[in-house]
């Protein structure tokens, strides 16, 4: 899987980049093959309290998943987005499993 990280108006430390990579790689455990992930982290200079944006687009075979959030720091914004994507991937996986069970029950 390829992970592209783009940071706008700010720099982030390497340990935060590595944490982001590990968390995204962990999303593959939900049974879907993730081809690539496009991550954009942006600091909004206007808003001091909730001025950090995180956007993640997962390119999955057949479709894309997209999530974004705002928070007080990059780590919190990343965690919110990754958690929402994890929930969506889990729904997709359980939906696929249910459809397979229905097909087996018919035959």
């Amino acid at each position: 899987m390829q992970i592209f990280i783009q940071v706008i108006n700010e720099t982030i430390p390497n340990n935060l980049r590595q944490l982001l990579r590990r968390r995204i790689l962990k999303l593959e455990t939900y049974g879907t093959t993730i081809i690539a992930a496009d991550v954009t982290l942006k600091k909004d200079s206007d808003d001091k309290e909730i001025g950090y944006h995180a956007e993640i687009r997962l390119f999955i075979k057949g479709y894309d998943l997209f999530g974004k959030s705002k928070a007080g720091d990059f780590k919190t914004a990343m965690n919110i987005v990754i958690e929402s994507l994890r929930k969506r991937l889990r729904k997709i996986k359980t939906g696929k499993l249910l459809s397979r069970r229905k097909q087996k029950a018919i035959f």
Side-chain angles (χ1 to χ4, degrees), residues 58-69:
L58 297 179
F59 298 97
I60 300 172
K61 187 177 178 182
Y63 49 91
D64 297 348
L65 290 179
F66 181 76
K68 66 180 183 177
S69 73

Side-chain angles (χ1 to χ4, degrees), residues 2 12 87:
Q2 296 177 338
I12 60 171
K87 288 178 183 178

Side-chain angles (χ1 to χ4, degrees), residues 47-61:
D47 196 359
K48 303 277 187 212
E49 292 179 14
I50 311 176
Y52 294 92
H53 304 267
E55 299 177 356
I56 300 175
R57 179 180 301 274
L58 297 179
F59 298 97
I60 300 172
K61 187 177 178 182

Side-chain angles (χ1 to χ4, degrees), residues 2 9 15 34 38 49 54 79 81 100:
Q2 296 177 338
N9 296 337
N15 61 354
I34 300 173
D38 187 16
E49 292 179 14
N79 288 336
V81 174
R100 284 187 206 153

Side-chain angles (χ1 to χ4, degrees), residues 66-98:
F66 181 76
K68 66 180 183 177
S69 73
K70 293 169 115 178
D73 61 345
F74 280 134
K75 190 173 182 180
T76 307
M78 282 182 345
N79 288 336
I80 292 169
V81 174
I82 290 173
E83 185 64 24
S84 70
L85 291 172
R86 183 191 67 79
K87 288 178 183 178
R88 290 169 64 190
L89 284 170
R90 195 166 171 206
K91 284 182 183 180
I92 291 169
K93 181 180 178 182
T94 56
K96 286 181 181 177
L97 290 176
L98 289 176

